[in-house]
Amino acid sequence: MQWMLQIPGATGYMGCIGKDKFGEEMKKNSTAAGVNVHYLEDESAPTGTCAVCVVGGERSLIANLSAANCYKSEHLKRPENWALVEKAKYFYIAGFFLTVSPDSIQLVAEHAAANNKVFSMNLSAPFICEFFKDVQEKVLPYMDFVFGNETEARTFAKVHGWETDDVAEIALKISQWPKASGTYKRITVITQGADPVVVAEDGKVKQFPVIPLPKEKLVDTNGAGDAFVGGFLSQLVRGKPVEVCVKAGCYASNVIIQRSGCTYPEKPEFN
């Protein structure tokens, strides 16, 4: 998102790192990218790492969460950090964070609802929908935007006893889940790899084609989903319509899958 916006300090980020060289790298690179980072630095756990295996462009991950698993809401409540929450108009939290600090998520979600701000989350992984169903359900009413992919959407439907694997139908049902605040209608955005992006909004479903990519140009799918959300949000914060947000998401993910690792060229070419 920061890369797409190209405005230093437009985005802020909180999470937990260790006091080690990887933590220093995280701080240095995030700051250089223009992100306003407020990390909790854990005294005992090392910074989380992730091993990536890429075969034929497809990737598999083994995460050592370590310090990423140690975030505490006390850090969020500190005046200098909560000030970042007060200042923000849009929030995005990965579903993975439900396994770490659901109370932090609840604090931000309730703040967003009380102050007519936009709150969004990602389904993130099938296991989140399966094994963290209760905490996910608790925060779902606060979500103005729900992101996910087709596998996560189908798992969500299965867990909730919806006897369908039709992604459009599932997206619609998620969008119609009761809301904590009536300020915004919920919009569900489901990606499907090379297949069209499904958007459910206001009782209707639209599908948007992705940018076609020849198989030989696919280098590494790592970060594609996150890049899509970043691109989408970069236009949402500018007040653009959903179709432009989807187009930006598709552009950002199309760029990242043609490069090794989660890297980008210096500047985006999106207009």
Side-chain angles (χ1 to χ4, degrees), residues 108-119 142 144 180-181 183:
V108 174
E110 288 173 6
H111 167 84
N115 293 277
N116 299 328
K117 296 178 176 183
V118 177
F119 181 79
Y142 295 92
D144 299 307
S181 158
T183 308

Side-chain angles (χ1 to χ4, degrees), residues 140-163:
L140 187 57
Y142 295 92
M143 297 182 206
D144 299 307
F145 285 84
V146 177
F147 296 95
N149 65 29
E150 75 278 37
T151 314
E152 294 152 5
R154 287 183 177 126
T155 304
F156 186 94
K158 186 180 166 189
V159 166
H160 289 89
W162 300 345
E163 292 183 357

Side-chain angles (χ1 to χ4, degrees), residues 51 100 130 166 178 199 214 241:
V100 178
E130 286 179 282
D166 180 274
V199 177

